[in-house]
Amino acid sequence: YLHGGLSKEVQEVIQQLFRVGAIQVVVVTSSLVWSLGIHADLVILMGTEKFQHHISSASDYSLADVQQMIGCANSLVDTKPCTAIVMCQTSRKTQVLKFLQEPLPAESY
């Protein structure tokens, strides 16, 4: 389980063990997604919201965070398929599908 409370050295050891196959499953908090140096054949995103303690409410992950998490489903072997699964509440399914399948508008200034 990778989380922000672990030292950088311990996080690196866990990632290295995953890379060489000594660990087959790694659970990672959303706060570490940007510093992650590993890729997997299967990524499961357990929800699209995070709880914010300071406001006692849930908020959506940013588009960049979701794309980064899904992007970890990436094999270094080109012929090997990879999968990203996004789990969400049924009421949010349409919104999540639109978010994942439709192109983003380009903005210029």
Side-chain angles (χ1 to χ4, degrees):
Y1 174 55
L2 282 173
H3 57 86
L6 298 173
S7 69
K8 296 291 181 194
E9 294 79 20
V10 172
Q11 290 179 24
E12 186 54 42
V13 168
I14 293 170
Q15 290 183 53
Q16 186 60 31
L17 289 170
F18 181 76
R19 281 187 207 101
V20 299
I23 297 175
Q24 295 184 1
V25 175
V26 177
V27 177
V28 181
T29 60
S30 62
S31 61
L32 292 181
V33 71
W34 290 100
S35 62
L36 211 67
I38 56 177
H39 298 283
D41 297 331
L42 174 64
V43 170
I44 301 174
L45 180 53
M46 298 292 295
T48 57
E49 297 177 315
K50 59 185 169 190
F51 186 77
Q52 303 215 356
H53 298 283
H54 63 282
I55 58 173
S56 297
S57 180
S59 64
D60 291 333
Y61 286 127
S62 70
L63 170 62
D65 285 344
V66 172
Q67 288 177 326
Q68 183 72 15
M69 290 180 219
I70 291 172
C72 289
N74 179 342
S75 177
L76 299 177
V77 180
D78 292 335
T79 59
K80 191 170 186 180
C82 298
T83 304
I85 298 172
V86 179
M87 297 183 171
C88 65
Q89 297 175 359
T90 305
S91 61
R92 299 181 57 82
K93 181 179 177 182
T94 303
Q95 178 187 6
V96 171
L97 283 173
K98 180 179 178 183
F99 175 70
L100 294 173
Q101 295 175 339
E102 292 185 7
L104 298 172
E107 295 182 20
S108 62
Y109 296 96

Coordinates of all heavy atoms in Angstrom, one line a residue, residues 33-34 45 48-50 59-69 99:
V33 N -0.4 9.7 -7.2 CA -0.5 9.4 -8.6 C 0.5 10.1 -9.5 O 1.0 9.6 -10.5 CB -1.9 9.5 -9.2 CG1 -2.3 11.0 -9.3 CG2 -2.1 8.8 -10.5
W34 N 0.8 11.4 -9.2 CA 1.8 12.1 -10.0 C 3.2 11.8 -9.8 O 4.1 12.0 -10.6 CB 1.6 13.6 -9.7 CG 0.3 14.1 -10.3 CD1 -0.9 14.3 -9.6 CD2 0.0 14.4 -11.7 NE1 -1.9 14.7 -10.4 CE2 -1.4 14.8 -11.7 CE3 0.7 14.3 -12.8 CZ2 -2.0 15.1 -12.9 CZ3 0.0 14.7 -14.0 CH2 -1.3 15.0 -14.1
L45 N -9.7 2.3 -10.9 CA -10.0 3.5 -10.2 C -11.2 3.3 -9.4 O -12.3 3.2 -10.0 CB -10.1 4.6 -11.3 CG -10.4 6.1 -10.8 CD1 -9.4 6.5 -9.8 CD2 -10.4 7.0 -12.0
T48 N -14.7 8.2 -8.4 CA -14.2 9.4 -9.1 C -14.3 10.6 -8.2 O -14.2 11.8 -8.7 CB -15.1 9.7 -10.4 OG1 -16.5 9.8 -10.0 CG2 -15.0 8.6 -11.4
E49 N -14.5 10.4 -6.9 CA -14.6 11.5 -6.0 C -13.6 11.2 -4.8 O -13.3 10.1 -4.5 CB -16.0 11.6 -5.4 CG -17.1 11.9 -6.4 CD -18.4 11.9 -5.7 OE1 -18.7 11.0 -5.0 OE2 -19.2 12.8 -6.0
K50 N -13.2 12.3 -4.2 CA -12.4 12.2 -3.0 C -13.0 13.0 -1.9 O -13.7 14.0 -2.2 CB -11.0 12.7 -3.3 CG -10.9 14.2 -3.7 CD -9.5 14.6 -4.1 CE -9.6 16.0 -4.8 NZ -8.3 16.3 -5.3
S59 N -15.6 15.8 -3.4 CA -15.4 16.6 -4.7 C -14.8 15.6 -5.7 O -14.2 14.6 -5.4 CB -14.5 17.8 -4.5 OG -13.2 17.4 -4.1
D60 N -15.1 16.0 -7.0 CA -14.6 15.2 -8.1 C -13.1 15.3 -8.2 O -12.5 16.3 -7.9 CB -15.2 15.6 -9.4 CG -16.7 15.4 -9.5 OD1 -17.1 14.4 -8.9 OD2 -17.4 16.1 -10.2
Y61 N -12.5 14.2 -8.7 CA -11.1 14.3 -9.1 C -11.0 15.2 -10.3 O -11.9 15.2 -11.1 CB -10.5 12.9 -9.5 CG -10.3 11.9 -8.3 CD1 -10.8 10.7 -8.4 CD2 -9.5 12.3 -7.3 CE1 -10.6 9.8 -7.3 CE2 -9.3 11.4 -6.2 CZ -9.8 10.1 -6.3 OH -9.6 9.2 -5.3
S62 N -9.9 15.8 -10.4 CA -9.7 16.7 -11.6 C -9.5 15.8 -12.8 O -9.1 14.6 -12.7 CB -8.5 17.6 -11.4 OG -7.3 16.8 -11.5
L63 N -9.8 16.4 -14.0 CA -9.6 15.6 -15.3 C -8.1 15.1 -15.4 O -7.9 14.0 -15.7 CB -9.9 16.5 -16.4 CG -9.6 16.0 -17.8 CD1 -10.3 14.8 -18.1 CD2 -9.9 17.1 -18.9
A64 N -7.2 16.0 -15.0 CA -5.8 15.6 -15.1 C -5.5 14.4 -14.2 O -4.7 13.5 -14.6 CB -4.9 16.8 -14.7
D65 N -6.0 14.4 -13.0 CA -5.8 13.3 -12.1 C -6.3 12.0 -12.6 O -5.7 11.0 -12.6 CB -6.4 13.6 -10.7 CG -5.6 14.6 -9.9 OD1 -4.4 14.9 -10.2 OD2 -6.2 15.1 -8.9
V66 N -7.6 12.0 -13.1 CA -8.2 10.8 -13.7 C -7.4 10.3 -14.9 O -7.1 9.1 -15.0 CB -9.6 11.1 -14.1 CG1 -10.2 9.9 -14.8 CG2 -10.5 11.4 -12.8
Q67 N -7.0 11.2 -15.8 CA -6.2 10.8 -16.9 C -4.8 10.2 -16.5 O -4.3 9.3 -17.1 CB -6.0 12.0 -17.9 CG -7.2 12.4 -18.6 CD -7.1 13.6 -19.5 OE1 -6.3 14.5 -19.2 NE2 -7.8 13.6 -20.6
Q68 N -4.2 10.8 -15.5 CA -2.9 10.3 -15.0 C -3.1 8.9 -14.4 O -2.3 8.0 -14.6 CB -2.4 11.3 -13.9 CG -1.0 10.9 -13.4 CD 0.1 11.0 -14.4 OE1 0.0 11.7 -15.4 NE2 1.2 10.4 -14.1
M69 N -4.2 8.7 -13.6 CA -4.4 7.4 -13.0 C -4.7 6.3 -14.1 O -4.1 5.2 -14.1 CB -5.6 7.5 -12.1 CG -5.4 8.2 -10.8 SD -6.9 8.2 -9.8 CE -6.9 9.9 -9.2
F99 N -17.0 12.2 -20.0 CA -15.7 12.7 -19.6 C -14.6 11.9 -20.2 O -13.6 12.5 -20.7 CB -15.7 12.6 -18.1 CG -14.4 13.0 -17.4 CD1 -13.9 14.3 -17.4 CD2 -13.6 12.0 -16.8 CE1 -12.8 14.6 -16.7 CE2 -12.5 12.3 -16.1 CZ -12.0 13.6 -16.1

